[in-house]
Amino acid sequence: MFRNASALVKRLDRVAVVGVNGAGKSTLLKIICGEVAPTEGQVTLGARIEVGYFSQNSLDVLDPKSTILEEVQSHFPTAGLGFLRSLLGALKFSGDDVDKKISVLSGGEKSRVVLATILARPVNFLVLDEPTNHLDIASREVLLEAIKAFPGTVMIVSHDRHFLREITTRVFELDKQHLLVTDGSWDYYLHKRERSGL
Ligand SMILES: Nc1ncnc2c1ncn2[C@@H]1O[C@H](COP(=O)(O)OP(=O)(O)OP(=O)(O)O)[C@@H](O)[C@H]1O
Ligand SMILES: [Mg+2]
């Protein structure tokens, strides 16, 4: 699908992966997370890299019979109840909310549960494929703040310009089977793109 794509991602990078529908953004993220094997080439993750992966179909992998709290607990059984409740509280699930069954949740609520399962573990590399699609503005802000405060690397596919503008430090653009890397903010990327007449 894409060739000659080579890039090194460093700690604390916030990489926005962009490209038209079908460009291969999700595929690139899956390859990086080891979900699919590359047909050619290789991905090397540094030692001690723990990935937290939010995929476009991660809402479907939640167990509909579990409660919110049980679902998050299953991903991090050693965490204390207080820790998990405060994590869920930060994601706007308070009090009895955490005992709701996954099966009754809205898309936005399920997205927040998935984000909780990802953030519950001590990961240092967040790979997020369109994480804000079902989120309302308040939940987007919660995620945005979590990403800003996150002491690791972030690679994200998103169509949310506000999000991209707030966090991006590098842009990986998938275009006509090439990977174009721009080091700099989202505005710098747009500026550079405009100047090159694309
Ligand atoms: N398992 C597969 N087998 C065959 N083709 C696939 C497979 N997975 C993805 N593709 C194709 O590879 C291309 C890239 O898909 P991908 O999902 O990575 O795109 P994307 O950039 O994430 O698009 P979107 O913005 O719509 O999410 C598409 O043309 C898709 O149909
Ligand atoms: Mg995709």
Side-chain angles (χ1 to χ4, degrees), residues 30-187:
K30 282 179 196 161
I31 290 171
I32 287 169
C33 295
E35 293 261 315
V36 297
T39 43
E40 279 177 55
Q42 60 179 29
V43 170
T44 315
L45 285 187
R48 300 192 306 276
I49 295 295
E50 291 289 336
V51 180
Y53 176 44
F54 182 101
S55 74
Q56 277 178 302
N57 60 11
S58 33
L59 306 194
D60 304 331
V61 302
L62 296 172
D63 180 358
K65 297 189 294 299
S66 293
T67 67
I68 294 173
L69 185 59
E70 286 165 353
E71 181 71 38
V72 179
Q73 255 172 339
S74 74
H75 286 261
F76 197 24
T78 57
L81 205 54
F83 170 79
L84 294 178
R85 277 188 176 274
S86 71
L87 176 71
L88 286 167
L91 286 161
K92 307 260 186 269
F93 292 115
S94 50
D96 297 344
D97 290 346
V98 304
D99 299 319
K100 276 190 174 179
K101 284 255 196 302
I102 300 293
S103 57
V104 306
L105 301 183
S106 72
E109 289 169 332
K110 284 185 191 166
S111 296
R112 279 150 51 205
V113 174
V114 172
L115 291 168
T117 64
I118 291 168
L119 296 169
R121 286 189 304 123
V123 298
N124 49 24
F125 184 20
L126 287 179
V127 178
L128 307 171
D129 197 349
E130 306 199 18
T132 62
N133 283 6
H134 298 279
L135 298 182
D136 59 22
I137 291 175
S139 306
R140 282 175 196 217
E141 286 304 316
V142 169
L143 178 60
L144 185 57
E145 292 311 314
I147 290 175
K148 283 183 180 173
F150 180 68
T153 311
V154 181
M155 189 174 269
I156 183 169
V157 176
S158 176
H159 299 286
D160 185 328
R161 305 284 142 153
H162 170 61
F163 232 76
L164 295 175
R165 179 163 284 123
E166 287 284 318
I167 59 174
T168 303
T169 63
R170 307 180 76 191
V171 179
F172 285 12
E173 181 180 352
L174 287 169
D175 177 48
K176 302 190 185 76
Q177 307 180 353
H178 290 288
L179 176 69
L180 307 169
V181 177
T182 303
D183 286 310
S185 67
W186 183 248
D187 285 327

Side-chain angles (χ1 to χ4, degrees), residues 1 20-27 56 130:
M1 184 186 313
V20 296
N21 287 145
K25 304 180 295 295
S26 296
T27 304
Q56 277 178 302
E130 306 199 18

